[in-house]
Amino acid sequence: MIVLNFIQALKAELQTSFPQYTVLAREPIEGELKASNAERQLWITTEGFDSGEDVADQGYSTEIRVPVFVSIVIQRPKTEAATIAALTRRLNVVQACQRAARAFNHQESGALVNFMQEQPLIVEGFLVSVTHLDIEYDLGAEDE
């Protein structure tokens, strides 16, 4: 499956780029987020599917868009130095996502992965940087 192949490629890139982090391809449960010197986490999640084309074609289109999110859990910065370190980490995650997307776009026919945005959020007292990627492809391509 194209989406699962991309998630595996993304996970491999993140594990290579962030060897000190645990990379999990699933939704975290409440209370599971951690960020410390001993524990560092990256999460890969998805949300609902969307039509790749915004057209009313009576169900004939097989184009699909799947949002994929990479979230890094960071201790909430309390100093300027910690803020700089957090920003650097956020940028490094975006670069790793872009490398995975670029490599996947070159090898996977019919699929296109696009970087959409990065958004920092405060979740359970942690700074969580969420990088949004969209993978677009034709469902019919998986039948071939």
Side-chain angles (χ1 to χ4, degrees):
M1 227 175 140
I2 291 174
V3 175
L4 294 176
N5 291 343
F6 174 66
I7 289 172
Q8 290 299 350
L10 179 59
K11 184 176 181 179
E13 175 61 40
L14 292 168
Q15 288 172 323
T16 299
S17 298
F18 298 91
Q20 69 279 24
Y21 279 75
T22 301
V23 181
L24 298 164
R26 65 174 176 82
E27 195 73 38
I29 57 174
E30 189 172 331
E32 194 172 22
L33 299 182
K34 294 185 176 125
S36 68
N37 291 337
E39 292 191 71
R40 298 175 179 188
Q41 299 174 328
L42 281 158
W43 299 87
I44 302 170
T45 59
T46 62
E47 283 188 4
F49 311 142
D50 188 336
S51 171
E53 302 289 327
D54 291 325
V55 294
D57 65 355
Q58 300 177 9
Y60 289 105
S61 175
T62 58
E63 284 289 312
I64 191 168
R65 179 176 35 232
V66 180
V68 176
F69 300 94
V70 174
S71 302
I72 183 170
V73 184
I74 304 170
Q75 288 182 354
R76 195 167 179 180
K78 295 179 175 75
T79 65
E80 188 173 326
T83 300
I84 291 168
L87 177 59
T88 301
R89 219 166 299 136
R90 290 168 49 205
L91 290 168
N92 288 338
V93 169
V94 169
Q95 289 174 325
C97 290
Q98 288 175 323
R99 283 192 299 274
R102 201 169 28 252
F104 193 79
N105 286 341
H106 288 303
Q107 73 180 7
E108 188 68 51
S109 64
L112 179 62
V113 180
N114 292 308
F115 167 78
M116 302 306 288
Q117 71 174 353
E118 181 275 343
Q119 182 69 45
L121 306 166
I122 302 297
V123 180
E124 296 183 20
F126 296 104
L127 175 65
V128 179
S129 166
V130 181
T131 301
H132 174 186
L133 305 162
D134 271 352
I135 180 167
E136 295 184 36
Y137 67 100
D138 187 329
L139 281 171
E142 293 193 325
D143 295 336
E144 297 172 1

